[in-house]
Amino acid sequence: MKRLIVAIQFLTRLPTPRIASDAEDFAASIRWFPLVGLLIGGLIAAAAWLGMRIDLWTGALAALLAWVGVTGALHLDGLGDVADGVGAAHGDGSRLLAAMADPHVGSFGVVSIGLQLLAKLVLLHALLMVAPVWMIVPIPLAARIGPLVWARWLPALHDGLGARVAGAVRWRDVIGWALLLIGLSVAEPALLATLVLVPAWGWWLKRRIGGISGDGHGAGIELVETGLLLAVVCLRR
């Protein structure tokens, strides 16, 4: 359970017990990312349900605020960094990595984060119109299977998060969570879009950036979540 708590501490701003952990525990905590996603999804759905007591737009806004608040905008930061790097690179790989490492948010990052928040708000509203609110719950879970795949598949860009977790991911972890995802897709077939979205992001990272980093994981989680919201809405209409 220690590594689950470490995963909760890393991926959320939720209060947790103080525990002693080391680098090995941090790396192995990636195996629990999808379960933390389930927790995040439950809190988002609860916020949406409460907001829906007023109307659907309020429900969508409450869900979005919970999404950002619970995760501390961690993955949005990664999305902004990737956007800044790609926008500033102009085909120069070293410039791309330098821009991603810059702690300041550039114009490309601001635009990408704004568009991502807007997309999630609109898609959450659309989902609440066509699907039960509980359909939000498995989406963060499904998206957090992605880091296990990317860490196992892609080379690390530098000695950061991507490098630390790569050796901790086992294929049986990926297969186990994938089987759970397939089981959940019996209730909502749109979740199978994960099997396309996760490899697609990994392929783009490998082709455009050359590997994976913490920013790549964060951006991927954000984009897969948005893609899954869109898949649910399209399939339910």
Side-chain angles (χ1 to χ4, degrees):
M1 295 300 292
K2 176 196 293 187
R3 291 170 178 175
L4 172 59
I5 294 173
V6 172
I8 294 172
Q9 290 174 341
F10 178 63
L11 294 179
T12 76
R13 294 298 178 265
L14 298 174
T16 55
R18 294 175 64 94
I19 58 170
S21 60
D22 54 26
E24 183 180 352
D25 292 323
F26 176 78
S29 71
I30 192 175
R31 302 170 191 165
W32 294 98
F33 279 17
L35 186 57
V36 179
L38 185 65
L39 173 62
I40 294 169
L43 293 172
I44 295 167
W49 181 84
L50 289 173
M52 288 170 64
R53 301 311 96 195
I54 301 174
D55 61 28
L56 291 182
W57 276 114
T58 306
L61 179 60
L64 181 62
L65 291 174
W67 216 323
V68 175
V70 169
T71 61
L74 175 67
H75 311 310
L76 286 169
D77 179 68
L79 178 64
D81 286 343
V82 170
D84 278 336
V86 173
H90 301 293
D92 186 337
S94 60
R95 187 172 177 179
L96 184 152
L97 295 177
M100 286 176 60
D102 190 331
H104 301 95
V105 180
S107 57
F108 295 104
V110 171
V111 171
S112 66
I113 292 171
L115 290 175
Q116 171 70 352
L117 291 172
L118 182 60
K120 273 190 170 179
L121 178 64
V122 172
L123 290 171
L124 280 165
H125 177 263
L127 183 150
L128 295 176
M129 290 180 64
V130 299
V133 68
W134 63 262
M135 257 316 306
I136 297 172
V137 175
I139 289 176
L141 179 155
R144 283 159 183 78
I145 295 174
L148 280 75
V149 177
W150 304 322
R152 184 72 185 180
W153 171 22
L154 301 172
L157 287 177
H158 50 73
D159 186 21
L161 173 63
R164 279 180 280 173
V165 302
V169 179
R170 305 162 299 189
W171 278 119
R172 65 174 179 267
D173 302 317
V174 177
I175 293 169
W177 288 114
L179 290 174
L180 176 61
L181 176 70
I182 293 170
L184 291 172
S185 70
V186 174
E188 181 46 73
L191 292 173
L192 291 175
T194 309
L195 302 179
V196 175
L197 295 169
V198 167
W201 178 246
W203 175 83
W204 184 88
L205 285 172
K206 188 172 184 179
R207 177 177 175 273
R208 187 68 177 82
I209 299 179
I212 190 67
S213 65
D215 288 332
H217 284 303
I221 287 172
E222 282 290 340
L223 295 175
V224 172
E225 286 175 340
T226 302
L228 289 174
L229 287 171
L230 179 60
V232 172
V233 170
C234 290
L235 196 63
R236 290 275 181 164
R237 279 195 173 275

